[in-house]
Amino acid sequence: MALILELAVQGAQMMLVLLLAPLLTGFVRKVKARLQRRQGPSLIQPYRDLLRLMRKEVVLADNASWLFRVIPYLIFAATWVAAALIPTFATGLTFSWTADLIAIVALLGSARFFLALAGMDVGTSFGGIGASREVMIASLAEPAMLLIVFSLALVAGATQLSTVAAVMGSPEVGLRVSLGMSMIALVIVALAENARIPVDNPATHLELTMVHEAMVLEYSGRHLAMIELAAFLKLLLYVSLISCVFIPWGLVTARAGPASYALGVVVYIGKLAACGILLAAFETAIAKMRVFRVPDFLGAALMLALLGTLLLFVSRSL
């Protein structure tokens, strides 16, 4: 009976991230519109867009391979699994032993690889430009992400997220400059990975500035719906990761009562709302940078993560 309850809670977490991902994107869009004194779309507009795409017919290019048809489902599956592994409202669940930071980075890297491959499959110029820019961003974002993982592993002694959250929430950690550098680096990586301002503008379709949109221009129907839902999940994943690691308060332990689980869900939704407001305010206050300046932006994240790791090494050796 206890195992069934634990599996039910694990399944509830998987469904929670799937249901809240479009809502988070809709909330960010709504807050941005209100900050710009516009009415803005409805909070549930992303759900409507997904349903509309699911009902539309799929149009494929004549030279599209079988891989072009399969890749949207692979991207969605990898991103959903990675997002579901991160503790959202509870730690120590049935599959929490699989919630390893390195495994999550590997899943995101696999999804990025398949997306770049899909952009080049049809052979359009836009797809090639978007794929090359995506790989350029990944070549700087992934090393920074791995250095962030190493710095967290030095503090927690493990890369398992439940352990990291428990250690980061303990009073022994305190305020550290190295962890502050890692947090800023993770925020920069999250902005780049989700194609947000200042790296990319998710609302634009200008051929000279597109990164993510250029790779999915040839998709339509349910294939495009899977890619859009994966993008929503990816944003939720990074917000959940930042909340789990650097704002670990409100996470309940496994086998807690229903009231504790409900309180954990409320706290988690509050964290998502706070991070969504901060993201909308940041994107409203800053302009998109030019493409050739993106390596400098990500290079700052790489150097911050490296400095944070070196500081932790030095502090441990003293």
Side-chain angles (χ1 to χ4, degrees):
M1 188 63 183
L3 179 60
I4 296 176
L5 291 176
E6 290 179 3
L7 290 175
V9 175
Q10 185 71 63
Q13 176 173 288
M14 294 181 67
M15 294 305 299
L16 181 67
V17 297
L18 185 63
L19 294 175
L20 288 181
L23 184 62
L24 176 61
T25 301
F27 179 73
V28 173
R29 293 174 181 174
K30 187 69 173 181
V31 174
K32 284 181 64 176
R34 299 304 296 173
L35 289 175
Q36 297 170 359
R37 296 189 177 184
R38 296 186 291 108
Q39 184 66 30
S42 171
L43 287 175
I44 61 173
Q45 187 61 42
Y47 298 99
R48 295 172 180 168
D49 294 338
L50 291 175
L51 291 175
R52 173 176 54 83
L53 290 173
M54 291 296 292
R55 289 196 295 262
K56 283 192 172 184
E57 181 183 0
V58 175
V59 179
L60 293 172
D62 294 334
N63 57 341
S65 67
W66 62 271
L67 197 61
F68 188 80
R69 300 175 177 88
V70 175
I71 280 177
Y73 303 101
L74 295 177
I75 294 173
F76 168 71
T79 310
W80 187 19
V81 170
L85 288 179
I86 297 176
T88 55
F89 62 90
T91 59
L93 298 179
T94 305
F95 297 108
S96 62
W97 59 273
T98 62
D100 191 273
L101 282 168
I102 297 178
I104 292 172
V105 173
L107 286 170
L108 292 176
S110 301
R112 183 187 303 108
F113 166 76
F114 285 121
L115 184 60
L117 193 62
M120 296 184 296
D121 184 80
V122 181
T124 60
S125 58
F126 285 160
I129 291 174
S132 64
R133 290 175 177 174
E134 180 73 12
V135 172
M136 179 267 293
I137 292 173
S139 65
L140 294 171
E142 285 187 0
M145 191 68 185
L146 288 175
L147 285 173
I148 294 168
V149 172
F150 293 155
S151 62
L152 294 175
L154 287 173
V155 175
T159 56
Q160 207 269 341
L161 271 174
S162 293
T163 305
V164 173
V167 173
M168 294 292 289
S170 63
E172 289 79 9
V173 176
L175 295 176
R176 300 188 184 184
V177 176
S178 57
L179 292 178
M181 292 180 176
S182 298
M183 184 181 68
I184 296 174
L186 182 57
V187 171
I188 294 175
V189 170
L191 292 173
E193 291 280 9
N194 288 279
R196 310 296 304 192
I197 297 174
V199 177
D200 191 14
N201 188 355
T204 186
H205 284 83
L206 295 175
E207 63 272 13
L208 295 179
T209 60
M210 286 190 299
V211 179
H212 178 268
E213 293 294 330
M215 294 182 289
V216 301
L217 279 179
E218 296 297 321
Y219 278 111
S220 61
R222 62 180 181 274
H223 294 164
L224 183 57
M226 290 293 102
I227 293 178
E228 290 293 328
L229 184 54
F232 298 158
L233 282 167
K234 195 173 184 180
L235 177 61
L236 182 80
L237 183 153
Y238 275 96
V239 173
S240 300
L241 182 61
I242 294 172
S243 301
C244 174
V245 174
F246 296 104
I247 320 173
W249 303 281
L251 292 171
V252 299
T253 58
R255 299 183 181 179
S260 300
Y261 284 136
L263 179 60
V265 171
V266 171
V267 173
Y268 173 63
I269 294 175
K271 292 178 183 178
L272 291 182
C275 293
I277 293 173
L278 291 175
L279 176 60
F282 176 78
E283 290 189 337
T284 304
I286 198 168
K288 181 188 176 302
M289 64 177 58
R290 296 180 180 179
V291 175
F292 64 84
R293 293 193 179 275
V294 172
D296 298 336
F297 183 67
L298 288 172
L302 182 62
M303 292 307 300
L304 285 172
L306 179 59
L307 288 174
T309 305
L310 292 176
L311 282 176
L312 286 171
F313 267 119
V314 171
S315 62
R316 288 173 66 92
S317 62
L318 292 178

